[in-house]
């Protein structure tokens, strides 16, 4: 029992914290309580109106409020529409069948039961139709209303009156719902969608930076959390970032479904506001996030590049990561402020960084491959003394590269001639090869054994990481394109350029203006 | 109007086809109609029972059926549980407040309105609590029931009777629901979950094969479908395969939520059947699917490896792809049949293939890097005449590789000495470098220009593809592990080994048995 009390207390504390962190939830609950209290006043309407006892039917208004009242305005509109349409169709159908059942005389009851079966069948069947999914609720209301009308009408024999009173009370309930929900601190799905997209940009940026930094720090996972392996939620910050973005898809679509129902409001004063473009931008971002996921995959991989090799490309990799994250944060901020991109290309810096990385890789690509097993000969280890290559020197080699390219051409034809003829020697040993008894993968092979087998792939793993990072940069273009489409359609305002641009950026801008 | 008729007709045809392709949907609709008809018979119970007019309250049974009747048994149980608990708590609360309001005398109405507000507030607030999400429905029922009881009780002043009758009728409705749903062609969520997991394995296998084959055919996307860029549904078969798997996560979790409520049935005759492990296997599979996604990313990439280089690794890449897909299909089939893995390692073949690919890459890694820009010297193009290297020779070079490794060691120290000292020459040109006027990324850079800039990365792209493929193979281990956990917990039966294994497999098996 003490356990139970502890749990309850814990739950209460958590619930309290939820309210503190997101006061909108408290406000929503208060609004719901208020709307309910207002309609419940109908119970006490003791005087009958045109011989109709309002109190008796007050439950219809209450029911409407309970099913219609949603967190966001858009959601309330959709539910209201469902409720209205469902009730109307049900009312018409009930009226028709009621007349029919009265005509049927003795068979009245049979007609009613059959009509209930037909209505139940069609409503259940059609709600399984894929495009009808959002209206599932409407179908339920429709069947419910139909049945209630039949029951009530059957008892009082006044179908017409039953339908009319209920429609009026549903209208009252719906009005109370909308008035309370819109007039008191409205919660808009559009606003939520906007914030979600902005948040997604930040998440991906954090995740990207995290991945690149961790990779360069060569922090290996001692044991990969099994939750990541099964793609479940985990606290790993890098993993959480992109996972949130990938997972947010459903949420975005729900919010989009609500947002398109919302009237122009607040900062979104425009009919047919391009909410779809928000989702599109987020989709393009997600396409980038998959690359971050692949980068993280390199971190999770059992095949890891040696630390010293990573160190060679450290500056370049980090710069691409940082610039990429900067672009994402910049775009996120622009969306947040609903501003257009300024003059100049946001992607400029990151493209420069990617270019530098690319050049560096081109020049140092012998580090990325296991040259020891080339048939043309092994490069002695000592000469590529990675540990001693200082960073400052690394970053300056690049310029040199362009020159040395044409200067240090050496004819290696004689060297490589060594393998070409020998390749044809053992031309029919494929079968043999497969049956080699010393095969490293035996039946009960353990994970550790796999590791050693794949070790030779380690250097290539660095190439993969760099290549994925460059592909990430390439995909940024797509994000920028869809951002521009959104900015145009949503008529984002021009940015205010009153403060002089600072730091690195200014240099590039100066350069551009003097061009 | 003709348009409208056409649309209606089109819709009707589609709806008919839906029924033909999945008859369970028709059956569900019939069951729903039947259950509704049965409870609607209560309307005609004209005789009162213990002075209670059953017909008047029949709507409660109908309401219960409408809200409780779900597609699957598990869903019905959950809804039933929600319904029951919500009603019970509401009944108790209503009873307490009713007594209180009677005691309040003149303030009766105030007490009722305040109680409605309190109930509405807490129910709305708590249903926003994250872990309460699945019970959202229960909260609605709770509020509804509370309000209805207050209204009815307030009118008749017989709260106790009102609560009792309603509980009985809800029980009747629930019983009808369960009997109809379980006895007539039951639809189990567990079965659906099982099939979904099996289908996912097939989807990933197809997607993997598709990616590898398309990559080797060097079929480039003329224009990448914008839907893929925004991660929307598209008809592209490779894309569809892994996307389905990634997207199916929510569906799996819903099904899992239902499945754990279902009693032992059919092939799953066990209490606490490990449904969670199905989701875990699927999660591990998803972890693999992300690698397929990354492979597909290589296809989508603007940076494409040249055809002739891909051709060199063709046999090996295809083999890894085919073996990987085979393993996935095998596992899918095992889950479908609920069989254990046979003796021997399913991963053996794919590991062998990956090993061969790895060795080949090691030997030919000079093809994967742009050796022309190495500072240590350019390798003349002619000698690596890729087009002429026939495939049959390619696959035999490997054996040779092991030998030549130790034989053809050449000291390149003198060659590489050319760059090491020169690297220190321009030690302070970083700033200069950044302001180079011939920078390829200018303001209004178009996508085509980006392509040419990134062209030098093309060879590395092949390395990335191979590396990702090997990582995919490494991740298969994780899938097999979670499969084995599932097989153990779910007590999969041993496979029947009556037919002798055929083709390639037999060779390896023979080899194993003679070991």
């Amino acid at each position: 029992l003490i356990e139970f009390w502890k749990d309850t207390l814990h739950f209460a504390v958590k619930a309290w914290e939820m309210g503190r962190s997101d006061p909108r939830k408290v406000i929503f609950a208060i609004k719901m309580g208020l709307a309910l209290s207002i309609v419940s006043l109908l119970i006490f309407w003791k005087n009958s109106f045109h011989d109709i006892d309002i109190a008796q039917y007050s439950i219809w208004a209450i029911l409407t409020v309970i099913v219609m009242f949603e967190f966001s305005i858009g959601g309330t509109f959709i539910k209201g529409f469902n409720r209205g349409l469902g009730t109307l169709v049900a009312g018409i159908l009930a009226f028709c069948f009621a007349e029919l059942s009265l005509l049927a005389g003795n068979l009245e009851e049979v007609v009613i039961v059959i009509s209930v079966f037909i209505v139940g069948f069609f409503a259940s069947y059609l709600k399984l139709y894929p495009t009808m999914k959002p209206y599932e609720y409407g179908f339920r209301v429709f069947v419910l209303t139909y049945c209630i009308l039949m029951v009530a009408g059957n008892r009082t024999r006044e179908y017409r009156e039953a339908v009319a009173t209920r429609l009026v009370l549903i209208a009252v309930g719906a009005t109370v719902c909308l008035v309370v929900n819109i007039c008191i601190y409205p919660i808009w799905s559009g606003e939520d969608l906007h914030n979600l997209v902005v948040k997604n940009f930040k998440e991906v940026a954090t995740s990207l930076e995290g991945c690149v930094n961790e990779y360069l720090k060569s922090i290996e996972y001692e044991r990969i959390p099994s939750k990541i392996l099964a793609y479940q939620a985990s606290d790993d910050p890098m993993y959480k970032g992109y996972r949130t973005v990938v997972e947010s898809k459903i949420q975005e679509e729900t919010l989009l479904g609500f947002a398109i129902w919302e009237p122009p409001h607040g900062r979104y004063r425009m009919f047919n506001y391009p909410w779809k473009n928000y989702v599109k931008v987020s989709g393009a971002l997600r396409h980038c996030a998959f690359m971050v996921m692949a980068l993280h995959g390199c971190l999770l991989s059992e095949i890891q590049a040696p630390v010293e090799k990573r160190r060679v490309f450290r500056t370049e990799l980090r710069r691409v990561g940082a610039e990429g994250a900067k672009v994402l944060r910049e775009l996120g901020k622009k969306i947040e402020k609903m501003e257009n991109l300024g003059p100049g290309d946001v992607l400029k810096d990151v493209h420069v960084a990617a270019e530098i990385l690319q050049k560096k890789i081109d020049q140092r690509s012998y580090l990325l491959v296991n040259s020891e097993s080339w048939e043309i000969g092994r490069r002695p280890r000592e000469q590529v003394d990675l540990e001693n290559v200082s960073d400052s020197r690394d970053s300056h080699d690049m310029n040199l590269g362009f020159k040395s390219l044409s200067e240090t051409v050496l004819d290696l034809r004689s060297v490589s001639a060594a393998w070409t003829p020998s390749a044809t020697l053992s031309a029919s040993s494929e079968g043999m090869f497969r049956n080699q008894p010393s095969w490293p993968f035996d039946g009960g092979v353990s994970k550790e054994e796999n590791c050693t087998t794949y070790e030779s792939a380690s250097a290539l793993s660095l190439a993969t990481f760099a290549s994925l990072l460059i592909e990430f940069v390439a995909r940024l273009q797509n994000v920028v394109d869809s951002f521009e489409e959104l900015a145009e359609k949503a008529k984002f305002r021009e940015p205010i350029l009153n403060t002089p641009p600072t730091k690195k950026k200014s240099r590039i801008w100066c350069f551009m203006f003097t061009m």
Side-chain angles (χ1 to χ4, degrees), chain A:
Chain A
L1 196 75
I2 293 167
E3 269 302 301
F4 176 76
W5 270 112
K6 265 189 189 166
D7 282 357
T8 313
L9 203 73
H10 180 72
F11 180 80
V13 171
K14 277 276 193 80
W16 176 256
E17 274 169 11
M18 181 179 81
R20 280 180 58 123
S21 67
D22 190 358
R24 299 188 309 165
K25 290 183 177 169
V26 182
I27 292 168
F28 163 71
I30 292 174
K31 278 158 72 179
M32 175 75 175
L34 190 66
L36 266 183
S37 309
I38 292 172
V39 288
S40 73
L41 289 176
L42 285 174
I43 307 176
F44 313 113
W45 192 320
K46 297 291 178 200
N47 307 328
S48 59
F49 179 78
H50 284 291
D51 279 345
I52 298 164
D53 181 10
I54 299 291
Q56 191 194 338
Y57 297 119
S58 64
I59 195 63
W60 284 84
I62 294 175
L63 182 67
T64 306
V65 170
I66 291 173
V67 294
M68 239 184 94
F69 212 89
E70 284 286 320
F71 194 67
S72 68
I73 310 285
T76 306
F77 271 116
I78 288 188
K79 287 265 168 120
F81 175 77
N82 270 334
R83 177 100 180 94
L85 195 70
T87 309
L88 207 70
V89 175
I92 295 167
L93 259 183
F95 188 73
C96 297
F97 272 112
E99 295 292 318
L100 199 70
S101 72
L102 290 179
L103 284 175
N106 287 341
L107 291 172
E108 185 190 337
E109 280 143 32
V110 178
V111 171
I112 289 177
V113 171
I114 289 174
S115 80
V116 168
F117 178 83
I118 292 172
V119 167
F121 174 81
F122 278 103
S124 308
Y125 186 69
L126 291 180
K127 88 178 170 196
L128 292 175
Y129 192 80
T131 53
M132 289 292 158
K133 200 82 198 285
Y135 309 108
E136 201 255 352
Y137 170 79
F139 282 107
R140 267 190 219 272
V141 169
F142 163 71
V143 176
L144 177 61
T145 310
Y146 180 82
C147 290
I148 293 181
L149 289 180
M150 288 316 269
V151 172
N154 186 262
R155 281 207 305 143
T156 61
R157 300 276 148 181
E158 281 169 18
Y159 289 102
R160 212 166 305 186
E161 194 199 285
V163 174
T165 353
R166 276 158 185 81
L167 280 179
V168 170
L169 277 158
I170 286 171
V172 169
T175 312
V176 169
C177 251
L178 288 178
V179 168
V180 170
N181 214 353
I182 294 180
C183 295
I184 305 171
Y185 196 90
I187 296 161
W188 304 97
S189 283
E191 188 78 38
D192 278 1
L193 179 60
H194 184 154
N195 294 336
L196 181 65
V197 173
V198 171
K199 187 171 142 279
N200 279 351
F201 270 95
K202 286 176 191 160
E203 296 276 3
V204 177
T206 313
S207 210
L208 173 68
E209 274 187 336
C211 279
V212 173
N213 290 338
E214 293 287 293
Y215 191 76
L216 293 175
K217 276 190 220 149
S218 299
I219 296 172
E220 272 180 54
Y221 282 87
E222 295 227 337
R223 214 181 147 280
I224 297 166
S226 64
K227 285 191 172 174
I228 293 182
L229 290 180
Y231 193 57
Q232 290 167 330
S234 166
D235 279 338
D236 189 283
M238 287 169 281
Y239 173 69
K240 215 167 129 192
Y242 67 77
R243 188 176 184 275
T244 317
V245 176
V246 174
E247 292 289 282
S248 72
K249 185 163 178 293
I250 312 285
Q251 208 190 337
E252 265 170 31
E253 272 171 12
T254 314
L255 287 177
L256 174 66
F258 293 160
I260 50 179
W261 278 81
E262 288 174 354
H265 61 274
R267 301 197 284 167
Y268 319 99
R269 291 188 195 284
M270 193 195 290
F271 281 100
N272 288 323
Y273 195 82
W275 294 117
K276 273 185 190 161
N277 283 84
Y278 276 96
V279 175
K280 213 174 152 192
V281 169
S282 201
L285 177 67
R286 202 163 289 124
H287 197 57
C288 279
F290 289 135
M291 272 297 129
V292 178
M293 185 187 260
L295 286 173
H296 190 227
C298 288
L299 275 173
L300 296 175
S301 170
E302 284 157 10
I303 310 151
Q304 290 287 343
V307 186
E308 57 270 26
K309 290 193 179 178
R310 295 185 197 191
R311 207 170 285 165
V312 176
F313 299 96
R314 186 166 57 185
T315 328
E316 290 75 20
L317 286 173
R318 182 167 295 149
R319 189 163 161 209
V320 174
E323 292 293 346
K326 210 182 79 187
V327 169
L328 289 178
R329 292 222 174 83
E330 179 77 14
L331 286 175
K333 225 177 276 171
K334 288 287 177 192
I335 293 179
E336 196 169 15
K337 290 193 207 155
M338 301 179 77
E339 273 183 6
N340 256 319
L341 288 173
D345 189 4
V346 262
L347 291 178
K348 195 184 172 77
D349 286 3
V350 71
H351 277 171
V352 169
E355 181 84 352
I356 293 172
L357 173 63
Q358 184 58 56
K359 292 237 163 83
K360 175 95 170 204
I361 289 172
D362 268 9
Q363 290 153 32
R364 298 290 180 87
S365 50
Y366 51 85
L367 294 178
L368 302 177
V369 290
N370 196 357
S371 51
E372 287 175 35
S373 51
W374 288 3
E375 295 99 337
I376 54 154
R378 176 154 56 176
R379 180 183 317 282
R381 270 248 148 169
E382 310 90 87
Q383 60 110 336
V384 198
D385 199 354
L386 296 158
E387 296 283 4
N388 298 337
V389 178
S390 76
D391 263 291
S392 60
R393 221 175 62 194
D394 275 340
S395 49
H396 304 137
D397 287 350
M398 283 169 291
N399 282 335
L400 194 71
F402 304 130
K403 289 177 226 152
S404 60
L405 195 73
S406 53
E407 289 165 11
T408 56
V409 178
L410 290 166
D411 195 353
L412 291 179
R413 200 175 307 198
S414 58
V415 174
S416 49
W419 67 272
T420 322
S422 63
T424 47
L425 279 180
S426 58
S428 59
S429 55
E430 194 183 19
M432 229 178 72
F433 181 68
R434 192 176 282 146
N435 289 340
Q436 273 188 6
S438 65
W439 206 252
F441 292 107
D442 285 314
V445 75
S446 75
K447 264 195 175 169
E448 286 70 34
E449 277 175 280
N450 286 350
C451 289
T452 56
T453 316
Y454 286 146
E455 212 165 69
S456 56
S458 69
L460 260 188
S461 145
L462 180 57
T464 305
F465 190 84
S467 178
L468 291 173
L469 199 57
I470 291 170
E471 171 67 16
F472 172 83
V473 173
R475 286 187 177 184
L476 280 178
Q477 183 68 51
N478 181 32
V479 180
V480 173
D481 287 349
S482 43
F483 170 80
E484 277 166 357
E485 196 186 328
L486 167 67
E488 196 198 338
K489 284 201 183 159
K491 299 206 179 87
F492 279 8
R493 67 168 187 277
E494 289 302 313
I496 305 135
L497 288 170
N498 47 0
T499 50
T502 48
K503 281 188 182 173
K504 238 191 245 170
K505 236 180 166 177
S506 66
R507 273 214 273 170
I508 287 156
W509 283 16
C510 290
F511 155 67
M512 278 183 54
F513 292 141
T514 54
M515 238 168 74

